[in-house]
Amino acid sequence: WAFAKLGVADAPLLAAVASAAVAAIAECDAQTFANLVWSFGTLLLDPGRLLDEVSREAHGRLGDFDAQELANTAWAYARLVAVHKPFLEAVMQESLVKLPDFVMQNLTNTAWAFAPLGFRSRPLMEAVTAATLAGRDELIPQELSNMFWASAKIGYFDEACFSAYSVESLRL
């Protein structure tokens, strides 16, 4: 996590970190899973087997993930173009359950993350759209952009949503 925060993309070092994480994967908690995949997603480095192992091990423990951990995990898989369908479908379902706990960035990053991976979940987009519309005065330009892009990518159109987002875009 620290290397990614600092933008240090030392591939050999991070390959060793990924290998060590794979060896200790059963000991990881939700925050560790999310931070690991977020780090590789941020640096756009191939984590080797790590995503396979996180998908396998974390799948049954998604109930332990908080809103940010779910959003960051989905975001990282999208950045790495890693389609682990059963795991990501479970992340999507858990995100729907915990959506009331999501802040704007979690909401819009989640919508953005699932779109390029080919997930076209109307229930997720409807829920995220409703939540972002309810708090639209908190949206920043990047978040609005994420929502427009994700909606366009998956072919989701809600006239009221687009109208409200357009008004917010003009406000910003």
Side-chain angles (χ1 to χ4, degrees), residues 148-171:
F148 277 126
W149 184 87
S151 296
K153 181 75 175 165
I154 67 167
Y156 175 79
F157 180 75
D158 177 309
E159 190 171 338
C161 160
F162 273 81
S163 177
Y165 288 163
S166 295
V167 169
E168 281 306 305
S169 295
L170 293 173
R171 181 185 64 80

Side-chain angles (χ1 to χ4, degrees), residues 73-113:
T73 299
W75 178 89
Y77 276 70
R79 288 271 296 173
L80 295 167
V81 193
V83 182
H84 290 252
K85 195 168 181 167
F87 175 65
L88 290 171
E89 285 175 346
V91 169
M92 187 184 309
Q93 291 306 313
E94 191 64 29
S95 295
L96 280 167
V97 169
K98 293 184 177 163
L99 212 65
D101 299 331
F102 280 44
V103 297
M104 283 299 159
Q105 184 179 16
N106 301 149
L107 291 165
T108 61
N109 282 355
T110 298
W112 178 90

Side-chain angles (χ1 to χ4, degrees), residues 3 25 27 32 40 42 45 71 75 90 92 95 101 110-111 118 120 128 132 143 155:
F3 289 110
I25 201 77
E27 299 168 35
T32 303
F40 284 92
T42 297
L45 287 176
W75 178 89
M92 187 184 309
S95 295
D101 299 331
T110 298
R120 288 168 173 48
V128 169
T132 57
E143 294 163 348

Side-chain angles (χ1 to χ4, degrees), residues 62-81:
L62 289 172
D64 297 338
F65 281 57
D66 67 20
Q68 184 173 354
E69 292 158 352
L70 288 165
N72 286 356
T73 299
W75 178 89
Y77 276 70
R79 288 271 296 173
L80 295 167
V81 193

Side-chain angles (χ1 to χ4, degrees), residues 102-139:
F102 280 44
V103 297
M104 283 299 159
Q105 184 179 16
N106 301 149
L107 291 165
T108 61
N109 282 355
T110 298
W112 178 90
F114 285 107
L117 296 177
F119 289 85
R120 288 168 173 48
S121 171
R122 188 164 189 84
L124 178 69
M125 285 303 291
E126 287 174 349
V128 169
T129 298
T132 57
L133 286 176
R136 66 181 166 265
D137 58 326
E138 298 172 34
L139 287 165

Side-chain angles (χ1 to χ4, degrees), residues 3-5 7-10 14 38-45 79:
F3 289 110
K5 252 335 217 180
V8 177
D10 184 328
L14 291 168
W38 178 87
S39 298
F40 284 92
T42 297
L43 296 171
L44 289 174
L45 287 176
R79 288 271 296 173

